[in-house]
Amino acid sequence: MCDGFYCFNWARFVVGFGMNDGFMTIYILTLENVGAKYRTLVGNLAIAVAFTSGGALLPWIALWCGDWKFFNNVITLPFSILLLFSVFIPESPTWLLSMGKIDKGMEVLKQAARMNKKTISDEVWSNISQHYTSIYDDQKSQKTYSWLDLFKKKRRTGVILIIMVFWFIASVTYEVHIRAIFHLKADPFLVFSLSTLTELPAGIVPLVLLDRIGRKPVTISVMILCAVCSLLAVFAPTAYYEAIAGICGRFFIAISTNVREQWAAEIIPTVVRGQGMSIVHVMGCVGCLVSPLLIYTESLYNSLPMMIVTLISAIGGCIVIFLPETMNATMPSTLEEADQRWTLSVSSSSKRARKEK
């Protein structure tokens, strides 16, 4: 409906605002409503199936529409369905309990028990309620937490900064691999669909590996492999081999982006998880903004974008070594609980390193 440049940009800003916040809210709610055993399955399967099918169909929908305004209307209509989700998705029980809304939190837990056909005695429910009431009373006497509390201790600051930098690197790398395909001497609609199909196996790989070998080894491995594929694309003798290397690079960085969503949500404690994930997600948005500029560097040297991606992918694989592993661990509720886990993670890593030496 816009007829000018500034109106169009404002409309696109609002669209982006809704897209990012809408996704992160639903994603966090989903992870907080399932147990540790099912987090990897729930967190990755839906993204793998939905993102792959939607992304692979997207260029052909655009080709069928033939007009960008009509195309915009077609892909926007499904958003009206998302408004109904708030009716069916329960509020996070861990958030409700940590905020002192004990009755509502217990109601969600009891509903989950009924749906899972679990019989729990009144005594157990009473103990749970008293436990979280006691925790909330202790917290209430202290203060209300905000995202600023993530930066009030050295270890907290280090962890959140590493997560932010890694999200930036992963976003830049992912976006460059998507945009780079349009510079290949091939049908952009076909190449876009084929490269998007990699999202399905990229979502399945975490399902198989995350709860077996951990978030950290998987992330390090795929980032290094992405760097290798990006480097191979630089020295590819023909456009065909360049496309193959690029698609493989996108496959590995897609695995990394899937893992980072779950890993960051598991590291940041419940009391500031929403705010913390928002800060981290902002760095991802900054990465998206930077990626076109990085692609533009090909005007200086044709292979420069992929060379830069090779370097930053390797850096991303190295810095996550210092993040805590969350495999088979419950999500931390308080900052104090997170501090203890993060410190233990560093201590155990140091002990392992000394032992190996």
Side-chain angles (χ1 to χ4, degrees), residues 10 198 224 339:
W10 171 252
T198 61
I224 297 301
D339 286 340

Side-chain angles (χ1 to χ4, degrees), residues 24-255:
M24 286 311 304
T25 303
I26 293 294
Y27 189 82
I28 292 173
L29 269 176
T30 303
L31 290 186
E32 290 184 346
N33 269 291
V34 297
K37 182 179 178 181
Y38 299 103
R39 279 205 306 262
T40 300
L41 175 66
V42 173
N44 290 279
L45 186 60
I47 294 177
V49 174
F51 193 87
T52 302
S53 56
L57 288 173
L58 193 62
W60 307 109
I61 295 173
L63 193 62
W64 172 74
C65 291
D67 176 76
W68 74 267
K69 286 192 174 183
F70 179 52
F71 170 65
N72 188 68
N73 291 334
V74 169
I75 63 174
T76 301
L77 280 175
F79 275 85
S80 59
I81 302 173
L82 299 181
L83 296 174
L84 300 175
F85 280 14
S86 60
V87 178
F88 301 104
I89 297 180
E91 181 57 86
S92 163
T94 55
W95 181 83
L96 288 170
L97 294 170
S98 64
M99 292 293 106
K101 300 180 180 182
I102 308 298
D103 292 339
K104 291 184 178 179
M106 295 299 296
E107 184 180 337
V108 175
L109 291 176
K110 289 178 180 179
Q111 182 184 3
R114 287 194 298 269
M115 293 183 67
N116 292 320
K117 297 180 180 179
K118 301 292 184 181
T119 302
I120 299 175
S121 66
D122 292 337
E123 182 182 358
V124 173
W125 286 125
S126 178
N127 290 337
I128 295 173
S129 178
Q130 291 175 9
H131 173 71
Y132 282 101
T133 300
S134 175
I135 291 176
Y136 176 70
D137 289 339
D138 291 339
Q139 291 178 348
K140 188 170 61 175
S141 62
Q142 297 173 8
K143 64 170 184 174
T144 302
Y145 292 104
S146 74
W147 62 271
L148 292 172
D149 291 290
L150 289 169
F151 298 92
K152 289 189 175 179
K153 288 188 177 181
K154 289 182 179 180
R155 178 56 182 160
R156 289 183 198 170
T157 303
V159 168
I160 199 67
L161 285 179
I162 290 172
I163 296 175
M164 290 169 68
V165 172
F166 177 69
W167 271 61
F168 172 80
I169 289 173
S171 295
V172 170
T173 305
Y174 184 80
E175 292 293 327
V176 167
H177 273 282
I178 290 177
R179 298 175 192 276
I181 64 173
F182 295 107
H183 295 258
L184 299 175
K185 297 177 181 178
D187 184 347
F189 294 96
L190 180 60
V191 176
F192 189 93
S193 287
L194 291 176
S195 62
T196 304
L197 289 177
T198 61
E199 297 288 344
L200 182 59
I204 294 175
V205 168
L207 294 180
V208 177
L209 297 180
L210 286 191
D211 290 335
R212 286 179 170 84
I213 64 175
R215 284 74 170 143
K216 192 183 297 187
V218 171
T219 303
I220 294 171
S221 300
V222 295
M223 290 301 291
I224 297 301
L225 288 171
C226 177
V228 171
C229 291
S230 302
L231 188 61
L232 290 175
V234 172
F235 298 104
T238 64
Y240 172 78
Y241 291 109
E242 185 182 3
I244 294 297
I247 289 174
C248 290
R250 175 170 175 176
F251 166 68
F252 290 119
I253 193 61
I255 295 174

